[in-house]
Amino acid sequence: MIKIIKNYIIIFSISLFAVGCGTFKSINIFPVSKDIELGRQFDNEIRKNPKEYPILKDRPDVKSYIDNIGKKIIASPEIKYRNQFAYQFEVIDDDSTINAFCTPGGYIYIYTGLLKYVDNEATLAGVIAHEIAHAEQRHSTKKITAQYGVQTIINLLSGKLGETGTQLAGVVGGLGLLKYSRTEEIEADTYSFKYLQSTEYYPGAIKFFFEKIGDGNRGGALERLLSTHPLPKDRLDHINKLLVEANNPTANEENLFAERYKEFKNTLMTKK
């Protein structure tokens, strides 16, 4: 075990040097098993904090609807960790927050505020696919690799999570590990597009979410969203570029499912 840890220290030191020199910025010294382990811890912390994360209960119809969308995305051939990551979907009962997030290991949380904000099922699928992409590209553990100290990495890799693991899990409370860079956001947008290409959904549907944010008043809920998901104009431009490269598929009711989603939103609003 000591030899393994020493090897990780060497690798981590090289990683920090590489990041400092502006190269190999996506280095991740964590094995996939640590994404899974951290994800479980984060999920436990979230469930123990119902005041901040009031998970919607007694609404199996809403849970089933979201699970169904998630399953379609996870079936994409582009998904690498479908048999390793949890890929569990939960709805947080908070209409004042327009957001979604994903922990390491594929625990995905969607706020009711987001469900009521988007206008069609394909757009919601695009946002969920974007969050799945953050897990698949392992953005959180890459961030830990780059930002946390050697001792923290040693504790995590040696299985001695203890207080260190709890502290890292607590970071989710402030969304510290979920504040993504511009590059990470565009990468997640790209994979969202790729995932949806193998589904019934319009692949560029996330652009309608971007457009609605751009047209709206950026106060309150939208400011909180933008604090964790920066939205420079080039994200919309990037999706439009991907659509051109895919021969500009047509967005219509057959791939947006606006009417089906309208029925879902009506049910969500009337049965609370």
Side-chain angles (χ1 to χ4, degrees):
M1 175 63 74
I2 293 175
K3 182 178 180 181
I4 292 173
I5 291 175
K6 285 182 177 178
N7 287 340
Y8 275 126
I9 293 173
I10 293 170
I11 293 170
F12 182 61
S13 298
I14 293 171
S15 300
L16 287 181
F17 176 78
V19 171
C21 292
T23 58
F24 305 112
K25 291 183 179 179
S26 64
I27 286 176
N28 190 341
I29 68 169
F30 287 87
V32 171
S33 61
K34 286 302 174 186
D35 287 65
I36 296 168
E37 189 173 354
L38 283 171
R40 289 194 192 111
Q41 278 200 293
F42 293 159
D43 184 60
N44 287 336
E45 292 297 317
I46 287 166
R47 292 178 186 280
K48 288 192 297 186
N49 188 2
K51 183 176 180 180
E52 188 167 357
Y53 301 102
I55 293 175
L56 184 66
K57 298 179 179 178
D58 303 321
R59 288 299 306 268
D61 56 325
V62 175
K63 180 74 162 59
S64 177
Y65 189 92
I66 301 302
D67 283 346
N68 188 49
I69 295 173
K71 287 176 183 176
K72 293 173 185 177
I73 300 166
I74 298 302
S76 165
E78 296 282 346
I79 298 290
K80 296 183 292 185
Y81 300 114
R82 73 167 60 83
N83 295 321
Q84 294 167 273
F85 287 176
Y87 285 126
Q88 295 180 10
F89 303 88
E90 292 289 356
V91 175
I92 297 177
D93 191 7
D94 179 358
D95 290 352
S96 69
T97 301
I98 301 170
N99 210 345
F101 65 91
C102 183
T103 73
Y107 295 85
I108 293 142
Y109 307 86
I110 302 105
Y111 287 84
T112 52
L114 174 68
L115 298 181
K116 294 179 179 181
Y117 185 75
V118 301
D119 298 316
N120 59 72
E121 189 174 301
T123 297
L124 177 60
V127 174
I128 293 173
H130 173 97
E131 296 305 328
I132 289 171
H134 282 308
E136 285 283 305
Q137 300 309 307
R138 306 181 62 208
H139 285 154
S140 291
T141 46
K142 286 177 183 176
K143 193 181 297 292
I144 295 173
T145 298
Q147 293 183 358
Y148 282 80
V150 173
Q151 188 58 52
T152 298
I153 301 297
I154 292 171
N155 288 342
L156 290 167
L157 290 171
S158 64
K160 297 178 181 178
L161 288 170
E163 185 179 349
T164 300
T166 301
Q167 289 171 349
L168 283 177
V171 171
V172 172
L175 300 181
L177 287 180
L178 307 178
K179 292 182 179 180
Y180 300 112
S181 69
R182 182 175 180 173
T183 299
E184 289 167 333
E185 290 290 66
I186 288 179
E187 183 176 36
D189 292 341
T190 300
Y191 278 95
S192 171
F193 189 94
K194 290 181 179 180
Y195 300 156
L196 293 198
Q197 281 184 302
S198 63
T199 70
E200 63 189 342
Y201 299 118
Y202 181 68
I206 197 171
K207 80 169 194 170
F208 301 120
F209 182 55
F210 298 160
E211 289 171 349
K212 187 166 186 177
I213 293 172
D215 291 341
N217 182 350
R218 292 195 174 189
L222 288 182
E223 285 300 328
R224 291 194 293 274
L225 166 68
L226 295 171
S227 72
T228 56
H229 294 76
L231 185 59
K233 182 178 180 296
D234 56 0
R235 286 184 65 189
L236 178 57
D237 292 341
H238 178 66
I239 292 295
N240 285 329
K241 179 175 179 288
L242 293 176
L243 286 166
V244 170
E245 292 171 353
N247 296 319
N248 289 312
T250 302
N252 53 42
E253 178 58 28
E254 283 66 39
N255 55 27
L256 293 178
F257 305 101
E259 288 302 316
R260 184 164 76 191
Y261 195 70
K262 183 178 179 180
E263 292 177 8
F264 166 71
K265 282 212 295 187
N266 287 340
T267 301
L268 181 65
M269 292 177 180
T270 57
K271 289 189 177 181
K272 282 196 68 174

